[in-house]
Amino acid sequence: MPNFALPRTVRLTRTHKVSAALVATAGCAAALAFTAAPGNAATTTAADAPAVVKPVGANGLPLTAKDRADDGKQARAVASSVAGGLKVATAEKQDRAAEQPANRSIERKALVAPKTAPKAPKAPKAPKATPKRYANNLDGWIRESLAIMKAKGIPGSYEGLHRNIIRESAGDPNAVNDWDINAINGVPSKGLLQVIQPTFDAYHVSGTPHKLTDPIANITAAANYAADRYGSIDNVNSAY
């Protein structure tokens, strides 16, 4: 017979016992976990997934696509209305801010301006031009004749008129020459500057009396004639 050697009895220590107990406990826990897990744990179906919460309307029914579109339109309309309201409020605020300085300016002007504007004073009427009056003597006759001659463009000076008047008539407006050739021919010389009637008629100055012995008419007609014949009464130094 073969010889079999029996194994030597191994004495378990306290440490070996504790280790064995821990291994046994771990094995039992694994077995329980495997038994409790369902067979299809690796595969999760739609039924096992948590249910999705669907939105509902005010009536408690689920919202349709049309309801959601209408809600979107309403939301956009509300947002647009709110934005428009904000713009209007901002514009009104700006208008009020702009009106306040203008109103204050108008109020200041109203306080400063008188209730009724004073009437502008009437412009004084221009005084009517009164004709200049000259003395009724030789000096006055010469000065008035010079004013008319100036207006009519007839040359002559005070000295030239005065000198010829003194020589011709000695300053007598009614002087008449009844002895020279003109008197013999029936047209005597008359007046301050001894003018005959035909010459007076030809050189009479408008605006003066049409009378040969009128002092002003006689002087201006004689000066007009002398300007035509001699250039000026100032150039006459003798009978002309």
Side-chain angles (χ1 to χ4, degrees):
M1 288 182 65
N3 294 323
F4 293 97
L6 293 174
R8 190 177 46 181
T9 303
V10 179
R11 187 176 179 178
L12 296 178
T13 65
R14 179 180 177 84
T15 301
H16 291 157
K17 292 179 180 179
V18 172
S19 298
L22 290 175
V23 170
T25 302
C28 291
L32 289 173
F34 180 78
T35 303
N40 56 353
T43 303
T44 303
T45 62
D48 297 326
V52 178
V53 179
K54 296 182 179 180
V56 296
N59 54 5
L61 298 176
L63 292 177
T64 63
K66 182 176 181 302
D67 292 336
R68 285 194 291 273
D70 291 342
D71 289 345
K73 290 181 181 179
Q74 291 178 0
R76 287 192 296 272
V78 170
S80 176
S81 176
V82 171
L86 291 175
K87 289 182 179 179
V88 171
T90 302
E92 290 178 351
K93 185 176 181 180
Q94 292 175 350
D95 291 342
R96 286 194 297 271
E99 288 175 358
Q100 288 177 357
N103 292 336
R104 287 195 294 270
S105 177
I106 293 172
E107 290 173 358
R108 286 195 295 270
K109 288 182 179 179
L111 293 174
V112 174
K115 293 183 179 180
T116 57
K119 294 182 179 179
K122 293 182 179 179
K125 293 182 179 179
K128 293 182 179 180
T130 56
K132 187 175 181 179
R133 295 184 177 276
Y134 297 91
N136 189 25
N137 54 29
L138 182 58
D139 180 73
W141 299 333
I142 293 175
R143 294 185 184 281
E144 186 173 353
S145 297
L146 285 171
I148 295 172
M149 290 164 58
K150 182 178 180 181
K152 300 294 183 179
I154 301 171
S157 66
Y158 186 98
E159 188 278 331
L161 291 174
H162 186 269
R163 171 168 47 80
N164 282 283
I165 288 171
I166 294 302
R167 186 190 68 249
E168 293 292 331
S169 66
D172 182 2
N174 296 312
V176 179
N177 186 332
D178 57 2
W179 54 268
D180 64 1
I181 188 62
N182 293 317
I184 294 172
N185 293 331
V187 284
S189 301
K190 298 180 181 180
L192 292 173
L193 284 170
Q194 292 294 286
V195 183
I196 62 176
Q197 190 67 49
T199 302
F200 178 82
D201 294 339
Y203 290 94
H204 173 258
V205 177
S206 61
T208 63
H210 203 285
K211 182 181 179 181
L212 180 58
T213 57
D214 179 85
I216 308 302
N218 187 276
I219 293 174
T220 54
N224 196 20
Y225 165 75
D228 185 41
R229 288 290 300 273
Y230 308 105
S232 172
I233 192 68
D234 294 346
N235 299 329
V236 177
N237 295 299
S238 62
Y240 60 106

